[in-house]
Amino acid sequence: MLHTALLLLLAPPPMVVDLKTNFDSEMKKAIALAEAIPEEKYGYRPAANVRTTGEVLVHIANGNREFLSAIKGATRDQMMALFKDQEQKEKNLKSKAAIIAEMKASWEEVTKALDAESEESLKKPVSTFGPKATVQGVWIGSVAHVAEHLGQLIAYARASGIKPPWSE
């Protein structure tokens, strides 16, 4: 009995736990940074043809919903409609409060979906616009997406003289 308990304690956590832990860590940082950046800096664009700070933050929330839609089996037409809607959101959401609320809402949606996953459900195939994937692969992509844009936001913030709150 003790041997089995020790083995369970030493076993790696299930993939669902790893995904949720990593996703939560990245979203906590992204939202903390969004809260640390003054609203007047949300329009900062470091170069022509790149997203503003606010647009990047909305893009993170939009990406969360895109990955969820793919996992739920959205059709190509449904995804195209979602992309169009999200493009408008990215251009039209301007207030800091509305953008942070959008990020938090998308985080809650992802959390609920991850809570419903199991080790078995992660192995299911998913049809995406790219190569065939599994639910697990799409979730890994969602974590990578948040991390990618968090890095972008850190550069934007530092260029504006703002230190990420966790690096103080």
Side-chain angles (χ1 to χ4, degrees), residues 141-158:
S142 74
V143 174
H145 182 259
V146 176
E148 172 188 355
H149 292 294
L150 175 59
Q152 179 182 11
L153 287 166
I154 291 167
Y156 281 27
R158 289 193 181 273

Side-chain angles (χ1 to χ4, degrees), residues 115-131:
D115 286 344
E117 293 290 2
S118 67
E119 295 302 300
E120 279 306 306
S121 68
L122 291 177
K123 297 174 187 172
K124 288 187 212 168
V126 174
S127 188
T128 64
F129 287 113

Side-chain angles (χ1 to χ4, degrees), residues 66-68 70-71 126-128 133-143:
E66 289 169 13
F67 285 106
L68 277 174
I71 288 167
V126 174
S127 188
T128 64
T134 61
V135 169
Q136 177 176 304
V138 175
W139 281 124
I140 290 169
S142 74
V143 174

Side-chain angles (χ1 to χ4, degrees), residues 54-91:
E55 290 168 348
V56 174
L57 293 166
V58 175
H59 179 75
I60 289 171
N62 285 346
N64 291 343
R65 291 188 174 111
E66 289 169 13
F67 285 106
L68 277 174
S69 295
I71 288 167
K72 292 178 182 177
T75 65
R76 178 171 170 66
D77 289 343
Q78 290 169 328
M79 291 300 287
M80 295 309 288
L82 179 63
F83 295 154
K84 188 175 181 178
D85 175 60
Q86 290 181 335
E87 185 179 337
Q88 290 305 308
K89 242 185 224 177
E90 204 171 286
K91 297 293 178 207

